[in-house]
Amino acid sequence: MILRALALFCSVTLLAGCAAPLVVAGGAAATGVVVAKDRRTAGTMLDDERIEMKSQQAIADDQELMENTYVNITSYNGVVLITGEANLAAYKQRVEKLVRQQTKVRFVRNELQVGPLSDSASRRNDSLITARLKSGLIRADNVDSSNIKVVSESATVYLMGLVTPEEADQVVAVARKTEGVARIVKVFEYNK
């Protein structure tokens, strides 16, 4: 049973692309390390993957939203971050409503920007910022990067994870030194 859950998690993680908690090198073995170090339970990790996939599918099923939004859904421990752009405030609210309907969602932070949709150059820049920050977190002392999710949108970096206040401060310090970061938004849950 545990092996099936791990196999499902590995499959979902590989399919999730940018939402994966760590670049996978060596397949399931590397993901197994993330599972062992992650502060969430395996069931919660699977719930987070389901929230992301079902939310994205609900948006994809709405043709009007597909034409008028660019949306990223990131879930960590049932806390859902919505980033991207929506042409109208009504679309922003519609996306949030679809996300809130998913099971196991505990909290939604809707950071969709109302305005024109970003272009591919902006998205590539955000991917580069995320990669730089993740690399910095891996190299940083006293930071367990496996407990941090990084999302970049229009040079704003969103930081998610289950951390202590001290760990949050360390992660923010690394983010401040990362080239290209214009703004930092903490979406952390704090452990005592």
Side-chain angles (χ1 to χ4, degrees), residues 21 32 48 60 75 88 92 131 136 141 147:
D48 286 333
S75 181
L88 299 171
K92 176 179 179 174
D141 292 332
N147 291 310

Side-chain angles (χ1 to χ4, degrees), residues 84-87 113-119:
E85 303 86 28
N87 286 334
Q113 299 300 308
V114 176
L117 306 187
S118 60
D119 59 17

Side-chain angles (χ1 to χ4, degrees), residues 59-72:
I59 294 164
D61 290 344
D62 185 322
Q63 188 62 36
E64 192 174 13
L65 284 180
M66 285 300 294
E67 293 171 3
N68 293 287
T69 64
Y70 174 74
V71 179
N72 293 302

Side-chain angles (χ1 to χ4, degrees), residues 102-113:
Q102 306 308 314
T103 59
K104 305 287 183 162
V105 171
R106 296 185 311 111
F107 177 79
V108 174
R109 174 115 184 217
N110 190 347
E111 291 285 330
L112 274 178
Q113 299 300 308

Side-chain angles (χ1 to χ4, degrees), residues 73-90:
I73 306 292
T74 309
S75 181
Y76 195 95
N77 203 39
V79 174
V80 181
L81 172 67
I82 306 170
T83 57
E85 303 86 28
N87 286 334
L88 299 171

